Amino acid sequence: MPPTTIASPREFGHAALNALLHPQNGEIAPIDGLRRLRDAGLDQLPLPGHGATLQRWQALAAVAAIDLSLLKLYEGHTDALAILAEIDGPGAPAGSSWGVWCTELPGTRVRLQQAADGRYLLDGRKPWCSGASGLSHALLSCWNEEGQACLASVALAQPGVHVTDEGWQAVGMHASASVDVTFSAARAFPVGAPGAYLARPGFWHGSAGIAAAWYGAACAIASHLHARAQHAAPDAVRLAQLGQIDCALRAVGALLREGAAEIDRHPQRDAMGLALRLRLATEDAATLVLHLATRALGAGPLCRDARFARLAADLPVFLRQSHAERDQATLGGIVAGAEEHPWAL
């Protein structure tokens, strides 16, 4: 079921989020930021494909502009709520916080088996479980006894769940605490039929939403250059860099708005090509913004501005959720399969 009370766009204004997430007594950890957003009702976003997809993406972009590690947890939590609604999963308990852990690496499959008493149990190791030490529940990909890919929900506060301190060495996104988790006869509950997680239209809607997060972070980085250009003496090179950034971000912003509207018009249509296009275009724009803004601003913000430095370190790591040229090749195959080229104005 869609959320009964949808968070208002004004609640995601920069000043409102700053007041909530940056109290006067200093910085808070991403998991505490997620709890603050949840307790304020700001996790109740419009479901993708229900007429307000852009509003959902604007919320992701707004949180990303403040802290990408927080966004990683927030996006996982709100994605879990959307998944549960879309495939008629169980309702999320009040006060719960969720992750979506669906990375599959060689040799790390988690198995879901049904015990003699009818209970479902998880065994195995799951990599890159963001926020594992602070979340209450997770949806994770696993494999049943027939070798079918499936989805299960698991409460994390039980003896069969062990959160390790292994699996993450990157400096960027370090605060997301994306560590490995092991499961040993952990009680779980299947969510949807086997294959439902990947087959549902919302899989690609959620994938496209990640581009909105990248965009929000890129805009935040660009805003530092905008502020410098406003208050410093005119500098032709810096203004040229700002102009190039403006073109890139406006183009991708228009593409994201168009993509959100397309999803709302055709919520059941396969959105794979759309999602790949949005992700690849946003990745290119964010990479360009990071390159130009750091060249224009120099070492000062990277060394003396904690929030800028954190965004500049986090964004390249987060962008590697893209599969880069492999996604380009997949998108190229989709385009090549069309009867006519799709680029007429």
Side-chain angles (χ1 to χ4, degrees):
M1 293 292 292
T4 55
T5 303
I6 302 296
S8 165
R10 77 172 67 89
E11 296 176 279
F12 288 96
H14 192 70
L17 282 182
N18 260 325
L20 179 67
L21 299 172
H22 292 281
Q24 293 182 351
N25 60 352
E27 298 287 321
I28 61 174
I31 189 63
D32 294 322
L34 174 61
R35 291 171 184 147
R36 285 175 177 241
L37 291 166
R38 180 201 64 200
D39 293 346
L42 298 184
D43 63 339
Q44 300 302 304
L45 301 181
L47 298 177
H50 283 67
T53 298
L54 180 60
Q55 183 179 329
R56 180 183 183 88
W57 290 0
Q58 287 169 334
L60 297 177
V63 175
I66 290 178
D67 187 332
L68 275 174
S69 287
L70 167 59
L71 177 279
K72 180 66 176 172
L73 305 190
Y74 178 71
E75 187 278 330
H77 174 75
T78 54
D79 189 38
L81 299 184
I83 292 167
L84 292 172
E86 186 165 3
I87 57 179
D88 297 322
S96 60
S97 50
W98 291 71
V100 178
W101 302 337
C102 291
T103 299
E104 296 287 336
L105 293 180
T108 62
R109 280 189 174 183
V110 175
R111 300 176 303 280
L112 179 69
Q113 297 178 309
Q114 190 169 21
D117 61 4
R119 294 186 304 162
Y120 286 90
L121 304 176
L122 288 172
D123 288 279
R125 188 180 188 97
K126 177 62 70 173
W128 295 344
C129 300
S130 297
S133 62
L135 299 175
S136 64
H137 294 75
L139 294 176
L140 69 154
S141 58
C142 50
W143 300 81
N144 65 18
E145 294 167 289
E146 286 72 44
Q148 299 169 307
C150 50
L151 191 70
S153 69
V154 57
L156 301 176
Q158 58 173 300
V161 178
H162 174 61
V163 178
T164 77
D165 59 358
E166 302 167 357
W168 191 262
Q169 299 299 325
V171 174
M173 300 296 291
H174 179 75
S176 68
S178 299
V179 295
D180 291 4
V181 175
T182 62
F183 300 90
S184 179
R187 180 77 183 275
F189 299 90
V191 176
Y197 168 69
L198 294 176
R200 65 195 174 87
F203 175 80
W204 288 109
H205 300 164
S207 181
I210 295 296
W214 295 342
Y215 179 78
C219 288
I221 289 171
S223 71
H224 287 259
L225 179 56
H226 177 257
R228 174 71 67 83
Q230 281 187 314
H231 299 108
D235 180 296
V237 173
R238 187 179 294 135
L239 291 175
Q241 291 162 324
L242 183 61
Q244 193 173 354
I245 285 172
D246 177 67
C247 289
L249 288 179
R250 285 181 183 269
V252 170
L255 196 61
L256 286 164
R257 288 188 288 272
E258 177 187 289
E262 178 71 12
I263 287 172
D264 285 336
R265 282 194 299 269
H266 305 286
Q268 297 303 314
R269 180 179 292 177
D270 181 4
M272 180 181 184
L274 175 89
L276 291 175
R277 189 177 307 113
L278 294 180
R279 288 169 64 102
L280 288 165
T282 307
E283 179 191 359
D284 286 346
T287 301
L288 179 67
V289 167
L290 187 60
H291 173 72
L292 291 174
T294 52
R295 288 173 69 88
L297 292 168
L302 288 169
C303 299
R304 301 178 69 88
D305 185 324
R307 292 177 67 177
F308 182 88
R310 187 166 58 243
L311 272 172
D314 288 348
L315 183 55
V317 177
F318 200 3
L319 287 172
R320 294 283 42 90
Q321 277 194 260
S322 164
H323 299 126
E325 285 80 5
R326 296 184 187 280
D327 282 351
Q328 290 175 338
T330 301
L331 178 60
I334 294 171
V335 173
E339 291 187 7
E340 297 182 4
H341 79 77
W343 307 305
L345 189 62

